[in-house]
């Protein structure tokens, strides 16, 4: 078996799955094609023995044991690998159950799709599933234990922690989109200029002064003491001669510890006389690096954590460090093992409780208590194993929110304002939290910035608290605020980039700060920040992450969608310009109908109150409306198009080309914008395909509330040029000839260009064309045939876009297409693009039109602009 490729997909994808993160594995099983599962001796039995838990997989049978029925009947290995990949993730504590296996269009090759919780785990599970399947086929044993543990470790390394995860889940539940900004816990909630950020439980609104104060325990204590908050009285000393005065000032019982101590080293508690204090002082000195020692009042009681968010107490818990209780028979090591058998304990954060691990700190604490791992401790004695009560180290927590005394609630909320923290955890030691600290002798020990939420989300006992909700309430206080910005997504075979640029231009004229992606690059306002084909999810996220952007226009091509899904989950407007044969035979897309399904994902992501803008003249595009859960708007070059008329009768929104005007219709009421011949992009109305792009763009602007006046201003100032529409009908007029550069790179694009150039006056049309390596032979043949119809002379160049083919192969494909149409067509082969353009210019006759068809525009543009500059200066065009 061969894995051709494994891709991760986030969000909607061409399987029309919602809210799944998916691994798409292209699996080459040609060698196994003739051996379904029931034809391999012993295979079904070995599979059932290894994975008895797969009995729960219903598969297409719809009942328990359904998958095993399919195995017994005979199913292909891709299908089995899909189920193994899901099951091994479940065994590793990640229960995820969506999967599909479909043909790829090649014999023995399959698309295997399955869901994951963490991408690294999903990728690993894909390879493990193949390895297990190969072992089962061969009848070999396979030990999964190491693989399962590896998946757990990958999950813990990559997953968001419980606190961050809970905030993200709450945001998702409210329709707030989010993006993970690094491999740790920094996340963005919302998009663009409306975004907020969190890092664990520190937010973009958390006071940096508050964090600094919370990190400085002495300053925190000083401020609280000044505010008459109960804190342990204490003093910091460096010399033994100061100890007696400090003991007298603080009063017994005492705690003595180094200021810079950690892991519990050098700490002595419950000191009740000077002799013990002196010994504790020397122990603290040995563990201190800077020699500073804290002498502090020892507060008796239990460890409580109060959580305050937006200056309101939202939860409280009593915490207990990881510990064991002796039974007089078992060793400490055996007691720890017994505690870890609790089914609520798991690896890392996978369960409510975390398993207790024995590390050097644990051994030190046990040693300080006078024991070792082999010691048997008396029955009923509690042995603390960690220096903190964190759940992540094996501690436990009990919710006590409802019994906190109002005085303590008020104190906690006041502390949050004193320290100036929007989210803070307050550690209190007291014998009874249901009584005021002033009555129990309790005290505030510490104030924490970025407190953990796990103990409140999933306490060991007591009521779980949704403490993430008040965080979202604070960050997005307005009802229904989702932190979104308008997103317009554009897809189709041709016209995507021009439509994207035009919409962005109109939005900028309205006053928006626009970020947009195109096949040329990513732009923030008018600044090009990334170059190249930027029509995939990474480029979309680049725009949506930018805090200056409040309007996004995203060109979405099939390649990025199939490779990695979308960079967003929902958009406000989706445009499908058209669907025609292009890139067929790639990524399992072999027919135009399959291509339409891919493109159809974009309108399926539109929000319910948004609009899908569809080409009413394209049957495949128009049919996309059937699967949509949003409003539909249509555009057409024919005002009498029956599909448009039907929608108008339903009071729908349409855009049509009528009587020479670009017109928006609400129902049957017309709002004429401009005559098409007055819109520069249409070249006096000659470029009909540009009028189609204009119709789609003005519809998008209209449904986004942009006025007719702003649309007119945008249309009038959007000039087809190398700066505003690079490579899209860029016409350069020289003294004796003209050069037209266009991105036409597929048969449909060439046909549209042909209709436009047929209306241009010239003496001779010279075409410079190139084949593209990831097109089918018949596609490149057709490009040659169309070129033979369009041009009087043809130059074939081929130094770019080979994509797996040789220059010779591509040149032959084009030449074959030319000969099919006109065996006598004048054809010159010049592989170098620069040399081909230079040759055409040198040999241009007066009044000729040179048309360069290219899908790699920048170099050609630079050369043509250089010729233009030299002519303007009166220089030799070909000077070296």
């Amino acid at each position: 078996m061969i894995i051709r490729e494994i891709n991760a997909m986030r969000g909607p994808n061409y399987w029309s799955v919602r809210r799944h993160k998916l691994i798409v594995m292209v699996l080459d099983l040609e060698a196994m094609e003739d051996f379904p599962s029931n034809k391999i001796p012993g295979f079904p039995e070995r599979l059932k023995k290894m994975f008895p838990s797969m009995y729960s997989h219903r598969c297409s049978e719809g009942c328990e044991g359904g998958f095993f029925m399919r195995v017994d009947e005979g199913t292909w290995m891709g299908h089995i690998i899909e189920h193994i990949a899901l099951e091994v993730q479940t065994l590793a504590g990640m229960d995820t159950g969506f999967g599909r296996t479909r043909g790829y269009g090649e014999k023995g090759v399959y698309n295997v799709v399955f869901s994951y919780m963490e991408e690294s785990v999903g990728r690993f599970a894909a390879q493990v599933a193949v390895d297990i399947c190969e072992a089962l086929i061969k009848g070999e044993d396979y030990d999964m234990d190491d693989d399962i543990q590896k998946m757990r470790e990958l999950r813990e390394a990559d997953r968001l922690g419980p606190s961050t995860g809970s905030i993200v889940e709450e945001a998702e539940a409210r329709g707030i989109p989010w993006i993970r900004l690094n491999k740790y816990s920094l996340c963005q909630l919302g998009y663009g200029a409306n975004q907020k950020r969190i890092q664990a439980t520190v937010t973009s609104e958390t006071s940096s002064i508050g964090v600094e104060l919370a990190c400085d325990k002495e300053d925190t204590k000083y401020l609280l003491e000044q505010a008459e908050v109960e804190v342990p009285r204490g003093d910091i000393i460096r010399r033994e001669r100061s100890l007696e005065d400090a003991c007298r000032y603080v009063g017994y019982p005492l705690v003595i510890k180094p200021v810079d101590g950690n892991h519990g080293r050098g700490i002595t508690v419950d000191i009740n006389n000077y002799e013990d204090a002196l010994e504790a002082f020397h122990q603290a000195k040995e563990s201190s690096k800077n020699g500073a020692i804290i002498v502090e009042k020892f507060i008796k009681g239990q460890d409580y954590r109060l959580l305050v968010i937006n200056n309101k107490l939202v939860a409280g818990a009593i915490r207990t460090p990881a510990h064991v209780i002796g039974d007089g028979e078992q060793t400490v090591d055996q007691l720890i093992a017994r505690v870890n058998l609790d089914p609520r304990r798991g690896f890392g954060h996978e369960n409510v409780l975390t398993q207790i691990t024995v590390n050097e700190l644990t051994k030190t604490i046990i040693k300080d208590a006078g024991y070792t791992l082999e010691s048997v401790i008396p029955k009923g004695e509690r042995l603390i194993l960690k220096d903190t009560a964190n759940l992540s180290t094996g501690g436990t927590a009990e919710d006590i929110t409802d019994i906190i005394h109002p005085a303590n609630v008020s104190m906690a909320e006041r502390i949050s304002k004193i320290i100036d923290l929007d989210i803070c955890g307050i550690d209190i030691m007291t014998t009874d939290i249901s009584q005021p600290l002033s009555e129990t002798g309790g005290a505030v020990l510490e104030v924490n910035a970025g407190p953990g939420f796990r103990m409140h989300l999933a306490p060991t006992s007591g009521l779980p608290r949704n403490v993430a909700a008040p965080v979202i309430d604070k960050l997005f206080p307005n009802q229904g605020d989702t932190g979104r910005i308008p997103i317009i997504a554009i897809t189709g075979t041709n016209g995507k980039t021009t439509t994207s640029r035009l919409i962005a231009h109109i939005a900028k004229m309205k006053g928006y700060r626009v970020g947009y992606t195109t096949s040329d690059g990513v732009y923030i306002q008018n600044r090009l920040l990334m170059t190249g084909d930027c029509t995939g999810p990474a480029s979309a996220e680049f725009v949506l992450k930018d805090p200056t952007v409040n309007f996004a226009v995203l060109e979405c091509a099939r390649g990025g969608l199939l490779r990695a899904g979308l960079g967003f989950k929902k958009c406000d407007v989706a445009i499908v310009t058209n669907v025609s044969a292009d890139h067929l035979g790639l990524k399992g897309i072999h027919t135009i109908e399959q291509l339409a399904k891919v493109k159809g994902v974009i309108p399926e992501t539109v929000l319910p109150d948004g609009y899908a803008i569809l080409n009413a003249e394209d049957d495949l595009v128009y049919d996309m409306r059937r699967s949509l859960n949003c409003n539909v708007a249509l555009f057409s070059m024919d005002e009498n198009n029956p599909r448009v008329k039907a929608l108008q009768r339903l009071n729908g929104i349409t855009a049509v080309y009528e009587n020479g005007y670009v017109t928006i219709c609400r129902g049957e009421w017309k709002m004429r914008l401009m005559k098409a011949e007055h819109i520069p992009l249409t070249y006096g109305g000659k470029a009909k395909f540009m009028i189609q792009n204009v119709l789609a763009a003005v519809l998008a602007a209209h449904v986004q509330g942009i006025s007719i006046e702003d649309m007119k201003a945008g249309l009038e100032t959007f000039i087809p040029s190398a700066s505003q529409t690079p490579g899209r009908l860029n016409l350069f007029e020289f003294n004796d000839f003209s050069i037209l550069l266009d991105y036409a790179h597929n048969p449909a694009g060439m046909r549209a260009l042909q209709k436009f150039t047929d209306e241009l006056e010239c003496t001779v049309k010279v075409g410079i064309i190139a084949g593209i390596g990831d097109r089918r032979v018949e596609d490149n043949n057709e490009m040659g045939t169309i070129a033979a119809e369009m041009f009087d002379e043809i130059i074939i160049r081929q130094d770019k876009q080979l994509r797996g083919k040789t220059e010779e192969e591509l040149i032959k494909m084009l030449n074959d297409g030319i000969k099919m149409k006109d065996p006598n067509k004048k054809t010159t082969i010049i592989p170098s693009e620069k040399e081909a353009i230079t040759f055409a210019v040198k040999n241009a006759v007066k009044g000729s039109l040179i048309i360069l068809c290219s899908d790699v525009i920048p170099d050609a543009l630079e050369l043509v602009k250089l010729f233009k500059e030299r002519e303007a200066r009166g220089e030799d065009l070909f000077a070296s």
Side-chain angles (χ1 to χ4, degrees):
M1 297 182 207
I2 300 172
I3 297 176
R4 287 191 176 179
E5 58 183 297
I6 300 176
N7 295 315
M9 304 183 75
R10 303 162 188 83
N13 54 82
Y14 74 100
W15 299 92
S16 297
V17 179
R18 292 295 172 269
R19 299 178 65 81
H20 281 290
K21 297 182 290 184
L22 302 174
I23 291 294
V24 179
M25 174 167 51
V26 181
L27 198 60
D28 192 339
L29 303 175
E30 187 171 357
M32 297 300 302
E33 178 69 3
D34 298 326
F35 295 95
S37 55
N38 63 339
K39 296 291 182 65
I40 302 172
F43 181 88
E45 292 72 23
R46 289 192 291 273
L47 180 68
K48 294 172 186 176
K49 181 178 179 182
M50 189 170 188
F51 293 104
S53 52
M54 274 193 188
Y55 185 75
S56 63
H57 292 213
R58 294 174 173 266
C59 202
S60 57
E61 301 297 323
C63 61
E64 285 199 343
F67 171 62
F68 284 154
M69 293 179 194
R70 295 288 306 278
V71 174
D72 290 335
E73 294 167 0
T75 188
W76 54 90
M77 287 300 141
H79 183 209
I80 293 169
I81 286 170
E82 166 209 324
H83 280 265
I84 293 175
L86 291 170
E87 189 61 21
V88 293
Q89 290 184 86
T90 299
L91 293 174
M94 289 158 278
D95 191 6
T96 177
F98 175 84
R100 294 287 187 273
T101 301
R102 296 289 184 268
Y104 190 75
E106 301 175 24
K107 177 178 168 56
V109 182
Y110 297 92
N111 265 318
V112 180
V113 180
F114 60 89
S115 54
Y116 64 85
M117 291 184 177
E118 298 299 329
E119 182 177 326
S120 60
V121 177
R123 288 180 177 273
F124 185 73
Q127 185 60 62
V128 167
V130 171
D131 294 343
I132 290 173
C133 202
E134 287 181 329
L136 290 171
I137 290 169
K138 295 174 184 176
E140 299 172 350
D141 292 334
Y142 190 98
D143 187 350
M144 289 189 297
D145 290 348
D146 289 345
D147 292 334
I148 298 300
Q149 182 59 27
K150 174 72 171 177
M151 281 187 269
R152 287 172 171 162
E153 292 170 1
L154 286 171
R155 177 199 59 207
E156 292 305 307
D158 292 353
R159 76 189 300 185
L160 293 172
S163 301
T164 313
S166 69
I167 298 172
V168 165
E169 287 175 10
E170 181 66 23
E172 279 196 314
R174 301 189 190 192
I176 299 169
W178 67 283
I179 301 173
R180 190 171 185 174
L181 298 178
N182 64 12
K183 65 179 182 179
Y184 303 108
S185 57
L186 180 62
C187 294
Q188 171 185 318
L189 307 181
Y191 287 147
N194 294 334
Q195 68 179 267
K196 303 290 185 180
R197 291 183 179 180
I198 59 170
Q199 184 161 304
T201 59
V202 175
T203 78
S204 49
E205 298 184 359
T206 298
S207 162
S208 59
I209 292 177
V211 173
E212 289 290 333
L213 280 174
C215 291
D216 188 324
K217 305 309 178 188
E218 288 309 304
D219 269 0
T220 297
K221 183 178 177 181
Y222 176 77
L223 287 179
L224 295 182
E225 197 170 28
Q226 295 299 304
E228 294 298 326
V229 174
E230 288 86 352
V231 294
R233 176 175 287 193
D235 196 6
I236 297 178
I237 62 175
R238 292 181 177 273
R239 298 174 181 82
E240 182 182 322
R241 65 173 178 264
S242 304
L243 178 63
E244 190 169 358
D245 288 341
C247 293
R248 189 179 304 111
Y249 166 71
V250 174
Y252 298 106
L254 302 172
V255 174
I256 295 180
K257 57 186 177 182
V259 167
D260 56 357
N262 58 62
H263 300 309
R265 295 186 179 90
I267 298 177
T268 306
V269 301
D270 201 10
I271 301 167
N272 289 286
N273 56 66
Y274 182 72
E275 290 73 20
D276 290 343
L278 186 60
E279 183 179 349
F281 175 83
H282 290 298
Q283 287 182 7
K285 271 287 188 182
E286 290 176 5
S287 300
S288 175
K289 293 180 180 178
N290 64 14
I293 306 300
I294 297 175
V295 179
E296 194 172 70
K297 186 75 172 181
F298 175 66
I299 307 298
K300 294 182 179 180
Q302 292 176 297
D303 183 4
Y304 292 90
R305 163 65 64 84
L306 306 186
L307 179 64
V308 180
I309 298 175
N310 200 19
N311 308 126
K312 296 290 182 183
L313 187 135
V314 297
I318 183 171
R319 303 183 299 169
T320 305
H323 65 278
V324 291
I325 298 175
D327 61 2
E329 298 178 2
Q330 297 186 82
T331 66
V332 173
D333 203 23
Q334 290 170 330
L335 291 171
I336 293 173
R338 187 173 69 182
V339 169
N340 282 336
L341 290 176
D342 186 336
R344 295 176 299 171
R345 291 190 182 271
F347 182 81
H349 295 141
E350 69 182 2
N351 288 346
V352 173
L353 297 174
T354 299
Q355 290 186 344
I356 300 172
T357 58
V358 177
N359 54 20
E360 290 303 316
L361 171 61
T362 306
K363 293 176 182 178
T364 300
I365 294 173
I366 293 172
K367 181 180 177 182
D368 290 344
Y371 298 111
T372 68
L373 288 170
E374 289 71 38
S375 301
V376 175
I377 57 178
K379 185 174 183 179
E381 182 177 327
R382 173 184 288 186
L383 176 63
I384 301 297
L385 302 172
K386 301 290 181 181
D387 64 337
T388 66
N390 295 336
L391 269 67
S392 59
T393 59
T396 59
E398 177 187 353
D399 178 74
I400 46 84
T401 306
D402 295 331
I403 66 169
I404 303 172
H405 192 278
N408 295 334
V409 171
S410 176
M411 175 198 67
E413 294 173 351
R414 183 166 170 256
I415 287 172
S416 73
K417 292 188 175 183
I418 292 169
I419 306 302
D420 191 23
L421 285 174
D422 59 342
I423 301 174
C424 67
I426 301 168
D427 292 340
I428 292 174
M429 187 71 73
T430 182
T431 55
D432 187 356
I433 198 68
S434 66
Q435 298 299 318
L437 294 191
S438 58
E439 296 180 10
T440 62
V444 175
L445 303 181
E446 197 170 351
V447 178
N448 299 276
F453 283 1
R454 187 182 178 194
M455 70 185 77
H456 309 295
L457 296 166
T460 314
S461 59
L463 188 66
R465 307 284 172 169
N466 181 10
V467 294
V471 176
I472 300 299
D473 290 340
K474 181 185 189 318
L475 294 176
F476 301 94
N478 298 325
Q479 183 72 26
D481 184 3
T482 61
R484 299 178 56 83
I485 61 174
I487 297 175
I488 298 180
I490 301 98
T491 193
T493 301
N494 293 309
K496 299 186 296 295
T497 298
T498 300
T499 305
S500 299
R501 286 179 173 277
L502 178 55
I503 294 170
H505 181 74
I506 293 171
K508 282 184 283 186
M509 297 299 291
K510 170 67 175 174
Y512 285 109
R513 300 187 302 279
V514 183
Y516 59 103
T517 66
T518 71
S519 56
D520 306 318
V522 178
Y523 296 79
I524 302 298
Q525 285 291 76
N526 291 322
R527 297 186 65 83
L528 176 63
L529 298 184
M530 294 175 67
T531 59
D533 187 349
C534 297
T535 56
S539 302
E541 281 197 353
F542 182 91
V543 168
L544 298 175
K545 288 176 183 177
D546 194 294
T548 68
V549 170
N550 62 10
F551 196 101
V553 182
L554 308 175
E555 180 180 343
C556 303
R558 53 163 291 286
L561 183 62
L562 291 174
R563 183 178 62 255
L566 292 169
F568 57 91
K569 288 189 176 179
K570 293 290 182 181
C571 63
D572 300 273
V573 178
I575 297 172
V576 187
T577 58
N578 45 64
V579 177
S580 59
D582 195 20
H583 296 287
L584 297 183
L586 298 175
K587 302 281 186 182
I589 305 302
H590 297 273
T591 68
I592 191 171
E593 289 76 18
Q594 289 176 323
L595 182 61
K597 286 187 177 181
V598 176
K599 305 284 187 185
V601 168
I602 306 301
E604 288 177 6
T605 67
V606 176
L607 291 161
D609 59 350
Y611 277 84
I613 297 174
L614 306 178
N615 185 343
E617 297 171 11
D618 189 312
D619 293 343
L620 291 171
V621 175
Y622 182 66
D623 282 348
M624 292 176 186
R625 75 194 190 287
R626 302 181 189 279
S627 62
L628 304 183
N629 181 31
C630 64
N631 300 301
V632 172
L634 299 176
F635 65 93
S636 173
M637 293 291 287
D638 177 10
E639 67 168 319
N640 294 312
N641 183 305
R643 295 166 176 174
V644 167
K645 286 294 185 182
L647 184 59
Q648 289 174 347
R649 287 193 292 271
L650 295 173
N651 206 35
I653 300 175
T654 58
V656 295
Y657 179 52
E658 52 89 25
N659 294 317
Y661 283 90
V662 169
T663 300
I664 294 174
C665 303
R666 277 191 168 269
E668 296 182 346
W669 290 96
K670 294 180 179 179
M671 295 177 284
R672 285 179 170 171
L673 269 71
M674 293 176 67
K675 272 203 165 187
E677 64 185 47
H678 296 154
I679 299 172
L681 187 60
T682 72
Y683 280 90
K686 294 184 181 72
K688 303 300 183 186
F689 61 94
M690 284 298 188
I691 299 176
Q692 279 193 323
N693 295 337
V694 170
L695 292 174
V698 297
L699 262 184
H702 180 66
V703 299
Q704 279 296 297
I706 296 177
S707 69
I708 298 292
E709 290 72 21
D710 285 326
M711 280 189 263
K712 284 182 177 179
L715 293 174
E716 289 171 344
T717 56
F718 190 70
I719 312 298
S721 61
S723 58
Q724 286 194 309
T725 59
R728 276 72 180 176
L729 293 191
N730 299 156
L731 184 62
F732 295 85
E733 295 183 348
F734 290 78
N735 292 334
D736 296 327
F737 61 90
S738 299
I739 298 178
L740 179 69
L741 271 71
D742 193 74
Y743 189 68
H745 61 290
N746 56 50
M750 286 285 284
R751 289 291 184 196
L753 181 61
Q754 181 182 18
K755 291 179 182 178
F756 171 62
T757 55
D758 282 350
E759 296 192 35
L760 300 180
E761 293 184 4
C762 59
T763 57
V764 177
K765 292 177 186 173
V766 179
I768 303 176
I769 64 172
I772 300 175
D774 60 1
R775 303 301 199 278
R776 299 172 302 176
V777 173
E778 55 265 42
D779 295 328
N780 282 313
N781 288 163
E782 188 176 356
M783 293 281 282
T785 299
I786 298 169
E789 296 175 9
M790 289 177 65
F791 307 126
D792 301 300
E793 301 174 16
I794 300 172
I795 299 171
I796 301 176
R797 62 93 182 163
Q798 199 62 65
D799 57 343
K800 298 175 181 177
Q801 301 301 318
L802 299 180
R803 297 176 180 174
K805 301 287 195 309
T806 65
E807 288 184 8
E808 293 75 15
E809 287 174 325
L810 291 171
I811 290 170
K812 184 179 184 304
M813 292 177 199
L814 290 172
N815 218 1
D816 287 347
I818 294 169
K819 299 308 179 190
M820 291 175 197
K821 182 66 180 178
D822 184 353
N824 299 315
K825 179 67 65 177
K826 183 179 179 182
T827 304
T828 306
I829 297 172
I830 305 176
S832 166
E833 181 181 66
K834 181 178 180 180
E835 292 176 9
I837 297 171
T838 303
F839 176 85
V841 172
K842 277 185 176 180
N843 293 279
V845 300
K846 190 172 182 64
S848 63
L849 175 63
I850 300 168
I851 302 170
L852 173 61
C853 303
S854 173
D855 67 346
V856 181
I857 294 298
D859 293 344
L861 269 178
E862 288 302 312
L863 180 58
V864 175
K865 286 193 288 186
L866 176 62
F867 287 153
K868 189 66 179 171
E869 291 165 4
R870 286 176 177 173
E871 183 182 78
R873 295 194 298 263
E875 299 174 358
D876 179 4
L877 268 59
F878 311 107
S880 59

